[in-house]
Amino acid sequence: MTITDIKSVSAHRDRLHDQLVCLQAQHDQLIADARLAQSEWATAVVNGEGTAFLAERSRHSRVVADDCAAATAVVSGQLAEVDRQLAQLHAHADLNAQSQAHATAVETFTERLAALTGIHEVAANGLIQLASELHNLHHQLRTALREGEALNTQAVAIHTRAAELQRSEQVDDAPDGKHLRGVA
C-alpha cells in the first residue's frame, strides 16, 4: 500500500509515534524489572537462599528488554522514513500552492495589461490633449512592467524549486510588455 497524501502519512506517523512511545515505556519497565531481580538475587546470595529463579528472572528480563530495544530501533527507523516522506509531501504541496498562486497572478496581470494596453492606444492615437491622463497611464504602465518582471522572477524561482524537487512544473511567464517599453 502506497501512502501519498499528507493526511494519511500524518496518521501513519502518529500511529508509529504512539507505538514507539509504548515500546520505550515497555523497555524501561523491563530494565527496571531486570535490575530488581538482580538486586533480589544479590540479597538472596548474601542470605544463603536459593538464587536460580531470581537469576533466570533477571536473564529473561534482559533478553526481553533487548528484543524490545531492537523493536524500538525498527520503529524509530520507520518513523524517520515517514518523517522524510511527510517533509517531501509538504514541499510538493507548497510548490503546488506557489504554482497556483503564480498562475492566478499571471492571469490577473494579463487582464490588467490588456486593459492598460487598450487605454494606451486610445490615448496615444486620439487623446494627446489629455496630458494628465497620459501621465497617469505612464505611471500605471511602469508599475505593470515592474510587476511583470517580478512575476517572471517568481516563475524562475518556482522552476528552480521544482527542479530541486525533481518535478517539471508548467509555470506561465508574465506576458512580454516589449511593445510598451518605449512608452515607459
Side-chain angles (χ1 to χ4, degrees), residues 7-54:
K7 185 176 179 181
S8 295
V9 174
S10 294
H12 182 62
R13 187 210 181 281
D14 291 345
R15 288 188 300 273
L16 284 173
H17 179 264
D18 292 347
Q19 185 179 4
L20 181 63
V21 168
C22 287
L23 284 169
Q24 289 169 335
Q26 184 181 6
H27 181 263
D28 292 346
Q29 183 60 47
L30 288 166
I31 292 297
D33 288 347
R35 286 184 182 140
L36 179 61
Q38 184 68 31
S39 174
E40 290 173 356
W41 175 83
T43 301
V45 167
V46 169
N47 292 340
E49 299 171 356
T51 59
F53 172 74
L54 294 172

Side-chain angles (χ1 to χ4, degrees), residues 122-182:
V122 169
N125 292 331
L127 301 175
I128 295 175
Q129 70 275 13
L130 299 175
S132 65
E133 288 183 28
L134 187 56
H135 176 75
N136 184 30
L137 176 63
H138 177 77
H139 175 73
Q140 290 178 19
L141 287 172
R142 288 179 58 122
T143 301
L145 289 172
R146 283 192 303 273
E147 288 176 2
E149 289 171 5
L151 286 169
N152 286 332
T153 300
Q154 184 182 34
V156 169
I158 289 173
H159 282 296
T160 300
R161 183 69 175 135
E164 290 173 0
L165 294 173
Q166 298 178 345
R167 286 182 38 172
S168 61
E169 294 298 317
Q170 296 297 331
V171 177
D172 296 328
D173 291 331
D176 188 13
K178 286 182 183 175
H179 64 284
L180 299 175
R181 290 201 191 276

Side-chain angles (χ1 to χ4, degrees), residues 33-129:
D33 288 347
R35 286 184 182 140
L36 179 61
Q38 184 68 31
S39 174
E40 290 173 356
W41 175 83
T43 301
V45 167
V46 169
N47 292 340
E49 299 171 356
T51 59
F53 172 74
L54 294 172
E56 180 57 27
R57 182 176 134 207
S58 176
R59 186 195 67 74
H60 177 71
S61 292
R62 290 195 187 279
V63 167
V64 174
D66 289 345
D67 291 345
C68 187
T72 299
V74 169
V75 172
S76 290
Q78 291 172 343
L79 186 60
E81 179 57 33
V82 168
D83 283 342
R84 281 189 291 278
Q85 183 182 13
L86 197 54
Q88 187 175 27
L89 287 172
H90 278 290
H92 283 277
D94 290 345
L95 180 61
N96 289 343
Q98 288 175 2
S99 294
Q100 183 59 45
H102 177 74
T104 301
V106 167
E107 184 178 321
T108 300
F109 172 76
T110 302
E111 292 168 1
R112 287 181 56 216
L113 185 61
L116 291 173
T117 301
I119 293 170
H120 172 263
E121 290 171 359
V122 169
N125 292 331
L127 301 175
I128 295 175
Q129 70 275 13

